[in-house]
C-alpha cells in the first residue's frame, strides 16, 4: 500500500530553509542612557499621596485661623482700608467655605514644602518698615500699638565703625584726594572700585645716552554697575607705573550702555591695529564666555551675559582697547528710533507690568 506524500506549498518550504540570524544590539552614539530608560531625579508627588483628596487625613491647619474677625480687629482694619476695600475683603472671605480650608488648606509633607507659615500679625524688623521699629524688639501686640500711635517710633541710629589703617592712609594720601576732586567721587567710593592690571611688559627706548628701559602697565577700573575705564602707565619703577595706570583708568571711566542691566545691545565690532573684537549679546544665564581679557572688562562693567570672538590678531594691548571701543560704540534703540522718526515702546512693560528681569 503506497502512501502519497503530504503536499506543502513553496512558501512553507522556503520558511524552513531560512536561518534566523542572531540579533545584534544597535550601537549607541551617546554615553548617556536612552531617554526612555532615564528615571526622574525626584519622585512625582500627587495630591492623593499627600492626602489632599480625602477629608480627615494629613496635618490640617489649626481651626483658630478660621475664626471670624472681632470688633477690635475690624476697627484696626477700618483704619487701614476704605469701606469699599473692607466690603471686598469680607465678600472674598465668605466666598470660601470653611470645609474647603479644612480639606485643602493642609501642610505639605513633600520635599519641596514650605517649612513655616508666615504670620503677618507680627512685625519683621528687616522687611517691615525698618524706620518704624520700636526699640527693644517686637511682640504680637506691636501691630495694634503702631496703628493706634500717631507718631512713628524711630529706630536708633547705627553706630559707625572705626576706620581701618588702609582707609585712613587713603583719605590722607594727596594723590587720592586729588583724584577725588577730579572725578567727584569720595575716597571710600574709589577704594570700592574694581581695579585690575591686565598687561605689563618692559619697554626699552634707544637714545644717544644708551638704552633707557621702563615698565608699561595697562589697567582697567570699573564699579561693576555700568562704569568702565582703561588707563596706561609707564615708569622706571614698578609701583609708580601701576599707580599711574590705576589713576588714569579711574579718570577715564565712562558709562557703558547695558541692555536690561546685564548685557550689551545686539552685536558690535571694533578694530585696533590688527586686532578685531566681535561682541554678541546672549540670553539670561548664559554667562561671560570669552577670553580672560574681555572677561575682566565685562566683569568690571557689570555685564553678565556676553559672547566674544577675536578672529584676527590677539595682541593683549590691542584686544583690550578694541573691546573697550566696542562697548562704547553700541547703537542704542532710542537713537535708531529717533533717527528714523519713530517712537519706541517696550511692549513687555505693558504685559508684565514693568517687571522685566
Amino acid at each position: 500500500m503506497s502512501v502519497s506524500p503530504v503536499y506543502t506549498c513553496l512558501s512553507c518550504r522556503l520558511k524552513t530553509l531560512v536561518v534566523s540570524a542572531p540579533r545584534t544590539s544597535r550601537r549607541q552614539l551617546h554615553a548617556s542612557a536612552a531617554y526612555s530608560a532615564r528615571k526622574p531625579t525626584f519622585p512625582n508627588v500627587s495630591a492623593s499621596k499627600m492626602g489632599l483628596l480625602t477629608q480627615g487625613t494629613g496635618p490640617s491647619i489649626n481651626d483658630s485661623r478660621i475664626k471670624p474677625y472681632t470688633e477690635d480687629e475690624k476697627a484696626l482694619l477700618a483704619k487701614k482700608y476704605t469701606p469699599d476695600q473692607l466690603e471686598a475683603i469680607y465678600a472674598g472671605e465668605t466666598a470660601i467655605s470653611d470645609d474647603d480650608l479644612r480639606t485643602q488648606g493642609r501642610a505639605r509633607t513633600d520635599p519641596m514644602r514650605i517649612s513655616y507659615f508666615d504670620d503677618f500679625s507680627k512685625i519683621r524688623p528687616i522687611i517691615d518698615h525698618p524706620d518704624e521699629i520700636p526699640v527693644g524688639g517686637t511682640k504680637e501686640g506691636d501691630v495694634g500699638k503702631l496703628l493706634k500711635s500717631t507718631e512713628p517710633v524711630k529706630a536708633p541710629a547705627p553706630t559707625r565703625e572705626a576706620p581701618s589703617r588702609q582707609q585712613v592712609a587713603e583719605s590722607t594720601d594727596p594723590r587720592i584726594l586729588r583724584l577725588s576732586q577730579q572725578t567727584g567721587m569720595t575716597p571710600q567710593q574709589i577704594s570700592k572700585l574694581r581695579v585690575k592690571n591686565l598687561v605689563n611688559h618692559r619697554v626699552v627706548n634707544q637714545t644717544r645716552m644708551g638704552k633707557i628701559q621702563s615698565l608699561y602697565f595697562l589697567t582697567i577700573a570699573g564699579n561693576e554697575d555700568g562704569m568702565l575705564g582703561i588707563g596706561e602707565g609707564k615708569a622706571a619703577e614698578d609701583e609708580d607705573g601701576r599707580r599711574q595706570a590705576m589713576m588714569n583708568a579711574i579718570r577715564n571711566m565712562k558709562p557703558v550702555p547695558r541692555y536690561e542691566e546685564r548685557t550689551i545691545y545686539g552685536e558690535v565690532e571694533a578694530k585696533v591695529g590688527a586686532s578685531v573684537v566681535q561682541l554678541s549679546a546672549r540670553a539670561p544665564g548664559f554667562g561671560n564666555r570669552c577670553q580672560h581679557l574681555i572677561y575682566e572688562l565685562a566683569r568690571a562693567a557689570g555685564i553678565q551675559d556676553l559672547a566674544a570672538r577675536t578672529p584676527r590678531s590677539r595682541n593683549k594691548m590691542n584686544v583690550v582697547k578694541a573691546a573697550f571701543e566696542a562697548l562704547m560704540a553700541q547703537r542704542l534703540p532710542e537713537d535708531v528710533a529717533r533717527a528714523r522718526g519713530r517712537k519706541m515702546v517696550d511692549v513687555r512693560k505693558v504685559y508684565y507690568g514693568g517687571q522685566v528681569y
Side-chain angles (χ1 to χ4, degrees):
M1 182 177 179
S2 62
V3 181
S4 59
V6 180
Y7 173 76
T8 56
C9 63
L10 182 60
S11 61
C12 296
R13 294 179 184 179
L14 293 176
K15 288 182 180 179
T16 58
L17 297 177
V18 174
V19 180
S20 61
R23 187 174 183 180
T24 58
S25 59
R26 298 178 62 183
R27 181 181 178 184
Q28 297 290 338
L29 300 179
H30 301 280
S32 59
Y35 184 78
S36 59
R38 297 178 187 173
K39 295 182 179 180
T41 307
F42 300 99
N44 186 13
V45 181
S46 59
S48 60
K49 293 181 180 180
M50 296 172 59
L52 299 179
L53 301 181
T54 57
Q55 185 175 1
T57 61
S60 61
I61 298 179
N62 190 7
D63 293 340
S64 62
R65 297 172 180 261
I66 316 175
K67 292 181 180 180
Y69 289 115
T70 61
E71 296 298 330
D72 296 338
E73 292 174 348
K74 290 182 180 180
L76 292 176
L77 290 175
K79 295 181 179 180
K80 190 174 183 61
Y81 300 102
T82 62
D84 296 337
Q85 293 175 343
L86 286 176
E87 185 179 356
I89 291 174
Y90 296 150
E93 293 185 354
T94 53
I96 303 175
S97 63
D98 296 344
D99 296 335
D100 293 340
L101 289 177
R102 292 189 180 92
T103 56
Q104 300 181 10
R106 301 174 181 274
R108 295 170 53 179
T109 58
D110 57 290
M112 305 302 294
R113 67 183 182 276
I114 301 175
S115 58
Y116 63 92
F117 287 102
D118 200 351
D119 189 2
F120 295 101
S121 63
K122 299 180 182 179
I123 295 180
R124 302 179 67 178
I126 298 177
I127 61 176
D128 293 336
H129 304 288
D131 293 337
E132 302 178 2
I133 301 173
V135 181
T138 59
K139 297 180 180 179
E140 295 184 2
D142 290 339
V143 178
K145 294 179 181 179
L146 286 179
L147 291 177
K148 292 179 181 179
S149 62
T150 57
E151 297 181 359
V153 181
K154 298 295 182 179
T159 58
R160 296 183 179 180
E161 300 180 355
S164 60
R165 292 183 179 179
Q166 182 179 0
Q167 293 178 352
V168 173
E170 290 178 353
S171 60
T172 57
D173 189 357
R175 291 183 290 264
I176 298 295
L177 294 177
R178 184 179 179 184
L179 183 63
S180 176
Q181 296 174 355
Q182 293 174 346
T183 59
M185 296 185 294
T186 62
Q188 290 75 18
Q189 293 176 346
I190 295 176
S191 62
K192 293 181 181 179
L193 296 176
R194 182 176 184 83
V195 180
K196 190 172 183 63
N197 180 260
L198 298 183
V199 182
N200 60 326
H201 54 260
R202 190 171 65 95
V203 181
V204 178
N205 185 22
Q206 180 67 47
T207 64
R208 62 188 182 88
M209 303 294 295
K211 293 183 179 180
I212 307 300
Q213 67 175 6
S214 60
L215 299 174
Y216 172 84
F217 297 92
L218 180 63
T219 307
I220 64 171
N223 63 347
E224 301 183 9
D225 193 18
M227 295 292 291
L228 180 65
I230 62 173
E232 298 174 297
K234 188 185 295 185
E237 298 296 335
D238 180 271
E239 188 65 26
D240 296 338
R242 289 180 182 274
R243 184 183 296 107
Q244 183 181 355
M246 182 194 71
M247 299 290 184
N248 292 334
I250 297 176
R251 289 192 193 96
N252 298 334
M253 285 177 57
K254 299 178 182 179
V256 178
R258 293 185 301 166
Y259 175 67
E260 296 175 352
E261 305 296 330
R262 60 175 184 83
T263 185
I264 64 175
Y265 287 88
E267 298 182 356
V268 289
E269 181 178 344
K271 181 177 181 295
V272 174
S275 299
V276 177
V277 174
Q278 301 172 353
L279 305 179
S280 303
R282 288 295 181 264
F286 184 82
N288 294 329
R289 303 185 189 180
C290 44
Q291 60 163 295
H292 68 284
L293 298 174
I294 305 177
Y295 175 84
E296 294 295 342
L297 279 169
R299 188 177 179 184
I303 297 175
Q304 292 132 14
D305 304 309
L306 183 69
R309 293 180 67 249
T310 52
R312 294 186 60 184
S313 173
R314 297 182 181 179
N315 180 274
K316 293 183 178 181
M317 183 175 61
N318 292 339
V319 166
V320 173
K321 293 181 180 180
F324 181 75
E325 289 188 5
L327 291 175
M328 296 300 170
Q330 300 181 51
R331 197 176 183 190
L332 302 181
E334 293 85 356
D335 299 338
V336 177
R338 192 180 300 109
R340 296 180 179 179
R342 302 287 183 177
K343 182 178 179 181
M344 190 186 69
V345 178
D346 194 348
V347 184
R348 297 172 306 166
K349 293 184 179 180
V350 178
Y351 286 97
Y352 299 110
Q355 301 296 331
V356 182
Y357 297 102

